[in-house]
């Protein structure tokens, strides 16, 4: 039950340390796999502490506490729990702090969270008078923790090297504007500062220098931990930098752009970039006495951060007797292959965090022996050698090698090494939303109203979706960016569907054997060929869904399509159970594992690799996304306040509509899906 500041104080004056951040996985299998991953990273990397992100209220908050308990109690890692205060009652904050105490957690990162909309989040159980406490800023939470719990908790606060802003494209974002508020947070009792991610080293140097030399003296000795995010894919890091308001220097962007079509190369270049950033931060921090700290946003992935930590010598030393040799020579026994490596293509019509593909998405994670049984004295033990006690299998060196993807165990451990999104593998700890903070519009009320106005009829929403697919509207609540280039081939179809009230949130065209170097559809290494099945994911009314469902189950259609559908009440149907639940009208009966399919909708063939299937659609991931998608209707309605016409409209749509995903298996016929839906 150590405090972070006590652990830092115990380090040598010239010592270094690092921390790792994780978010609660969206699925039970993802959580189980994260447990194994955390155990490896604790053993191999030995972070000074770990951070667990917070989802305000409900099941997301429970998942945060469950993950924090795993880290603190089961794995014995000093844990820092994020806690946001806006849009939460004092009762919920009190419960979160008491739960943290019960788990033995003594470290809290006090955050504001989304822009406050207290009235929209008030529930029937909330009192109108909660003792005069009003949580609008992180400063309010810091003061409240100190008032209620004294110095029991070590409290950290966030800072933004380039300045903070609520808008996706902020004006007037500046460190100078933030400084008075940061001073107040520290003077109110903050023990350490953790920064948002950045890539502009000059901006960070200005930030740390300004703080250390501030006339208030508030920052003279306080630990300042720079936030660093390993680069997992080109599209993901661009989106994350945008949401975090972090500038991407041209030199870094150019290096990434040169390899953006191949995520393996992007990750390799990303390791180089982050390792260079660590060295540059080291030089900046050498001007201030005391241990130097670094914080890494892992995105629940291990390979890239392990390479960075090892390359920059941040992993603390261990006694020599704990080390073991991983590879005894150039010749080794036949190894196993776990699906090979995979490279996710850019997805069309996508919200990048929810739509980017994963890796190793074979439905059963096949294990394939690279060769038949052979005999070779070079790797067989002699009789004398057989009597020698073996090296410790779970040594730290072996664990590091596994985390870096070496050998059969390494490939199995890092099977999901590329970022997962809505169409990734739901078994991955990284599946789903990348930031782990739960459902959010990722923008302020002001910006939401500016983009989407005050919808009064369903026709207004039709027009919004049509404008978006035509490139006339920058974002939707479910899609923060404009459509990608490949959507241009199906834009007329998307516009027609949206115009009739089938609101599309994800799609892709059919592609039959296009070269991986193709400027529009290509992805992955050179000299490969890529394929896609057409699919569409969209909202439609319950009446329209009843008619479409009957059409999809007709003879001649049901054999060439697969569909999944769900609503806000938790009802679910799919073509997998069309002979049972669907036929019997039981919309709530789930499919069984024996009948549930996994649909690879994007795959590639490359020299020297197994077939890569980075994009899949299956029941578990659809159900997880469906819950989030309808949660976004709630978030959007709260923009307008209770009782308003827009709030009533959006709430009614949420209660009546279904989210449906239809996949057409005929990837040779590029018009098959669109002819079916528009007929």
């Amino acid at each position: 039950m150590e405090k972070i500041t006590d652990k830092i104080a115990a380090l040598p004056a010239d010592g270094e340390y690092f921390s790792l951040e994780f978010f609660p996985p969206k699925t039970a299998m993802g959580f189980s796999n994260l447990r194994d991953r955390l155990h490896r990273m604790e053993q191999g990397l030995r972070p000074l502490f770990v951070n667990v992100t917070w989802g305000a209220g409900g099941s997301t908050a429970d998942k945060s506490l469950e993950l924090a308990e795993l880290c603190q109690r089961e794995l014995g890692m000093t844990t820092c729990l994020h806690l946001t205060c806006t849009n939460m009652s004092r009762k919920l904050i009190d419960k979160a702090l008491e739960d943290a105490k019960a788990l033995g957690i003594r470290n809290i990162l006090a955050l504001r969270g989304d822009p406050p909309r207290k009235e929209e989040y008030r529930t029937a159980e909330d009192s109108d008078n909660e003792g005069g406490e009003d949580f609008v800023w992180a400063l309010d939470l810091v003061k409240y923790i100190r008032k209620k719990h004294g110095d029991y908790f070590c409290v950290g606060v966030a800072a933004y090297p380039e300045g903070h802003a609520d808008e996706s494209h902020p004006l007037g974002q500046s460190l100078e504007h933030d400084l008075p508020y940061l001073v107040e947070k520290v003077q109110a009792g903050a023990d350490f500062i953790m920064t948002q991610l950045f890539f502009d080293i000059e901006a960070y140097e200005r930030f740390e220098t300004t703080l250390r030399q501030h006339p208030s003296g508030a920052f003279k000795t306080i630990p300042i931990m720079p936030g660093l995010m390993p680069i997992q894919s080109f599209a993901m890091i661009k989106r994350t930098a945008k949401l975090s308001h972090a500038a991407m220097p041209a030199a870094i962007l150019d290096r990434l752009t040169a390899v953006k079509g191949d995520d393996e190369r992007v990750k390799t270049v990303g390791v180089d970039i982050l390792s260079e950033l660590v060295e540059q931060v080291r030089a900046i921090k050498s001007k201030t006495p005391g241990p130097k700290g670094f914080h890494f946003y892992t995105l629940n992935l291990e390979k890239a951060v392990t390479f960075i930590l090892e390359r920059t010598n941040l992993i603390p030393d261990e006694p020599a007797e704990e080390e073991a040799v991983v590879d005894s020579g150039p010749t080794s026994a036949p190894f196993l292959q776990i699906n090979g490596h995979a490279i996710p293509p850019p997805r069309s019509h996508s919200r990048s965090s929810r739509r980017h593909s994963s890796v190793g998405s074979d439905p059963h994670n096949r294990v394939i022996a690279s060769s038949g049984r052979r005999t070779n004295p070079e790797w067989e033990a002699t009789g004398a050698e057989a009597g020698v006690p073996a090296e410790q299998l779970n040594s730290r060196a072996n664990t590091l090698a596994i985390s870096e993807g070496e050998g059969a165990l390494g490939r199995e451990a890092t099977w999901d090494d590329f970022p997962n999104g809505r169409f990734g593998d739901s078994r991955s700890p990284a599946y789903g939303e990348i930031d782990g903070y739960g459902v959010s519009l990722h923008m302020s009320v002001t910006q939401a109203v500016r983009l989407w106005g005050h919808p009064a009829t369903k026709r207004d929403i039709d027009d919004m979706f049509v404008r978006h697919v035509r490139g006339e509207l920058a974002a939707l609540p479910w899609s923060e960016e404009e459509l990608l280039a490949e959507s241009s081939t199906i834009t007329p179809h998307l516009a027609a569907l949206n115009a009739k009230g089938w609101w599309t949130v994800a799609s892709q065209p059919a592609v039959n054997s296009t070269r991986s170097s193709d400027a529009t559809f290509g992805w992955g290494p050179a000299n490969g060929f890529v394929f896609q099945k057409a699919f569409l994911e969209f909202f439609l009314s319950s009446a329209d869904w009843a008619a479409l469902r009957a059409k999809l189950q007709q003879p001649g259609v049901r054999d060439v399509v697969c569909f999944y559908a769900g609503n806000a009440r938790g009802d679910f149907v799919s073509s997998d159970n069309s002979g049972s639940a669907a036929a019997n009208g039981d919309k709530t009966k789930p499919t069984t594992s024996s009948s549930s399919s996994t649909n690879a909708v994007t795959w590639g063939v490359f020299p020297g690799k197994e077939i890569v299937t980075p994009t899949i659609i299956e029941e578990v991931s659809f159900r997880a996304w469906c819950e989030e998608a309808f949660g976004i209707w709630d978030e959007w309605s709260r923009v307008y306040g209770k009782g308003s016409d827009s709030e009533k409209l959006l709430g009614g749509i949420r209660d009546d509509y279904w989210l449906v995903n239809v996949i057409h298996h005929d990837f040779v016929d590029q018009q098959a899906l669109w002819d079916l839906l528009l007929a």
Side-chain angles (χ1 to χ4, degrees):
M1 300 204 312
E2 293 177 284
K3 291 184 177 182
I4 290 169
T5 46
D6 291 342
K7 298 189 75 171
I8 294 173
L11 295 172
D14 61 347
E16 293 184 329
Y17 62 93
F18 68 90
S19 55
L20 304 174
E21 183 167 304
F22 301 91
F23 62 82
K26 286 187 173 294
T27 65
M29 186 60 76
F31 196 96
S32 176
N33 287 328
L34 181 59
R35 175 185 280 106
D36 296 336
R37 180 160 291 169
L38 284 167
H39 186 269
R40 281 193 301 274
M41 296 176 82
E42 187 279 329
Q43 181 182 12
L45 303 180
R46 301 289 173 86
L48 189 75
F49 65 95
V50 295
N51 276 23
V52 173
T53 66
W54 178 259
S59 61
T60 311
D62 292 340
K63 289 177 182 176
S64 295
L65 290 168
E66 185 181 0
L67 179 56
E69 181 177 15
L70 167 65
C71 294
Q72 182 76 36
R73 285 187 165 180
E74 183 177 328
L75 299 177
M77 295 190 286
T78 298
T79 301
C80 178
L81 180 65
H82 291 201
L83 185 59
T84 59
C85 64
T86 54
N87 308 320
M88 284 181 62
S89 66
R90 189 186 70 177
K91 185 187 302 182
L92 288 175
I93 290 175
D94 282 339
K95 182 180 185 303
L97 292 170
E98 289 301 327
D99 287 342
K101 267 190 172 182
L103 295 176
I105 293 171
R106 301 198 63 183
N107 305 283
I108 299 290
L109 186 66
L111 303 167
R112 188 190 73 168
D114 285 340
R117 309 201 301 272
K118 186 173 182 179
E119 289 306 312
E120 287 75 17
Y121 279 85
R122 185 179 294 279
T123 66
E125 291 78 22
D126 293 338
S127 168
D128 288 332
N129 186 351
E130 295 190 322
E133 304 293 347
D134 191 13
F135 299 104
V136 178
W137 307 103
L139 171 65
D140 302 320
L141 181 56
V142 174
K143 289 180 177 179
Y144 185 72
I145 293 173
R146 290 299 180 221
K147 176 182 174 182
K148 288 279 291 186
H149 299 278
D151 65 353
Y152 179 85
F153 290 107
C154 173
V155 180
V157 293
Y160 301 81
E162 297 158 270
H164 177 259
D166 291 330
E167 306 285 330
S168 289
H169 302 284
L171 298 174
Q173 177 183 347
S174 72
L175 173 61
E176 288 71 22
H177 178 267
D178 289 358
L179 267 177
Y181 304 105
L182 190 55
V183 170
E184 285 188 275
K185 287 191 286 188
V186 172
Q187 292 178 339
D191 296 303
F192 65 90
I193 295 171
M194 188 169 283
T195 82
Q196 182 58 273
L197 66 94
F198 64 90
F199 294 97
D200 187 342
I201 192 63
E202 293 181 359
Y204 181 79
E205 183 171 20
R206 287 194 301 271
F207 166 79
E208 178 141 345
T209 302
T210 300
L211 263 59
R212 295 303 187 195
Q213 297 177 355
H214 196 269
S216 69
F219 311 109
K220 188 173 182 181
T221 59
I222 191 170
I224 300 174
M225 306 171 198
L228 302 167
M229 180 175 283
I231 296 171
Q232 310 290 353
S233 82
F234 181 78
M236 176 174 284
I237 202 63
K238 283 192 69 178
R239 173 188 178 271
T240 306
K242 173 185 172 183
L243 290 177
S244 304
H245 320 304
M248 183 73 73
I252 291 179
L253 185 59
D254 289 346
R255 291 167 69 180
L256 293 171
T257 301
V259 295
K260 68 178 182 179
D262 186 341
D263 268 4
E264 284 184 299
R265 295 180 66 194
V266 168
K267 189 182 288 286
T268 300
V269 172
V271 168
D272 294 340
I273 291 169
L274 266 292
S275 299
E276 293 163 12
L277 273 177
V278 169
E279 297 298 342
Q280 291 167 328
V281 170
R282 269 191 175 124
I284 294 167
K285 285 188 167 293
S286 65
K287 303 171 186 176
T288 304
K292 307 174 185 67
F294 304 84
H295 180 67
F296 292 91
Y297 299 96
T298 69
L299 305 183
N300 288 2
L301 298 167
E302 63 185 302
K303 189 173 181 179
V305 73
T306 301
F307 274 122
I308 294 163
L309 291 170
E310 189 165 35
R311 182 179 298 185
T312 56
N313 297 312
L314 279 173
I315 302 174
D317 293 331
E318 284 291 306
E321 60 268 19
E322 292 194 18
E323 297 293 345
V325 176
V326 178
D327 186 0
S328 60
T331 305
S332 59
F335 59 90
L336 299 179
Q337 296 177 346
I338 314 293
N339 289 338
H341 295 286
I343 309 88
R347 287 269 51 78
S348 70
H349 201 54
S350 69
R351 174 174 186 162
S352 29
S353 71
R354 295 183 176 115
R355 299 278 186 265
H356 275 292
S357 54
S358 73
V359 185
S361 297
D362 182 274
H364 304 291
N365 201 25
R366 297 175 298 119
V367 181
I368 303 173
S370 63
S371 63
R373 295 180 60 84
R374 291 177 288 180
T375 300
N376 190 319
E378 292 188 55
W379 65 62
E380 289 184 346
T382 65
E385 291 169 335
V388 177
E391 294 283 354
Q392 181 184 358
L393 178 62
N394 293 322
S395 70
R396 194 176 188 207
N398 284 341
T399 303
L400 279 173
I402 290 170
S403 288
E404 291 176 352
E406 293 185 20
L409 293 177
R411 288 189 294 276
E412 185 173 12
T414 59
W415 64 273
D416 64 338
D417 187 47
F418 294 91
N420 288 263
R422 157 65 183 93
F423 297 114
D425 195 315
S426 60
R427 298 169 300 178
S428 168
Y431 169 75
E433 182 67 88
I434 65 168
D435 53 26
Y437 287 97
V439 175
S440 173
L441 296 180
H442 294 296
M443 65 181 65
S444 68
V445 171
T446 301
Q447 188 180 24
V449 172
R450 185 164 64 241
L451 273 173
W452 308 316
H454 292 80
T457 67
K458 292 179 182 178
R459 175 56 61 186
D460 293 336
I461 300 177
D462 293 347
D463 292 341
M464 278 180 47
F465 277 85
V466 171
R467 289 171 56 214
H468 183 253
V469 300
R470 288 176 174 168
E472 299 166 4
L473 183 64
L476 291 173
W478 300 268
S479 183
E480 293 159 352
E481 297 179 348
E482 297 176 352
L483 275 63
L484 298 179
E486 69 172 31
S487 295
S488 62
T489 62
I490 56 174
T491 297
H493 304 316
L494 297 176
L497 289 164
N498 282 289
K500 75 172 190 173
W502 293 12
W503 302 323
T504 62
V505 293
S507 63
Q508 74 175 24
V511 172
N512 181 26
S513 189
T514 294
R515 288 191 175 275
S516 60
S517 57
D518 184 84
T520 302
F521 299 106
W523 55 274
N527 302 314
F529 292 88
V530 298
F531 303 78
Q532 293 182 176
K533 290 181 182 179
F535 74 83
L536 185 72
E537 193 166 84
F538 53 104
F539 293 104
L540 77 171
S541 69
S542 56
D544 283 357
W545 166 234
L548 177 61
R549 179 179 170 186
K551 184 176 184 178
L552 296 175
Q553 292 176 319
Q554 291 175 352
V557 176
R558 62 191 179 198
D559 295 331
V560 294
V561 299
C562 179
F563 67 82
Y564 301 91
N567 62 19
R569 295 186 299 276
D571 298 336
F572 173 81
V573 291
S574 82
S575 52
D576 289 338
N577 64 348
S578 57
S580 54
N584 298 327
D586 180 2
K587 294 183 288 185
T588 63
K589 182 178 179 181
T591 58
T592 62
S593 58
S594 60
S595 64
S596 180
S597 64
T598 298
N599 296 277
V601 294
T602 303
W603 64 99
V605 182
F606 305 98
K609 290 183 177 291
E610 296 179 9
I611 293 175
V612 176
T613 58
T615 312
I616 66 172
I617 300 174
E618 42 81 38
E619 178 182 333
V620 176
S621 62
F622 178 84
R623 282 176 176 265
W625 161 240
C626 189
E627 180 181 355
E628 182 176 349
F630 281 104
I632 292 173
W633 282 106
D634 276 338
E635 286 294 304
W636 187 16
S637 70
R638 285 171 171 160
V639 165
Y640 304 104
K642 288 185 177 180
S644 66
D645 291 341
S646 293
E647 190 264 348
K648 291 176 182 177
L649 171 69
L650 299 176
I653 290 171
R654 175 192 178 277
D655 294 340
D656 176 64
Y657 274 49
W658 285 70
L659 179 68
V660 178
N661 188 299
V662 180
I663 306 156
H664 204 292
H665 298 310
D666 187 352
F667 59 89
V668 177
D669 184 352
Q670 296 185 348
Q671 297 301 315
L673 176 62
W674 316 110
D675 290 344
L676 173 66
L677 295 178
L678 289 167

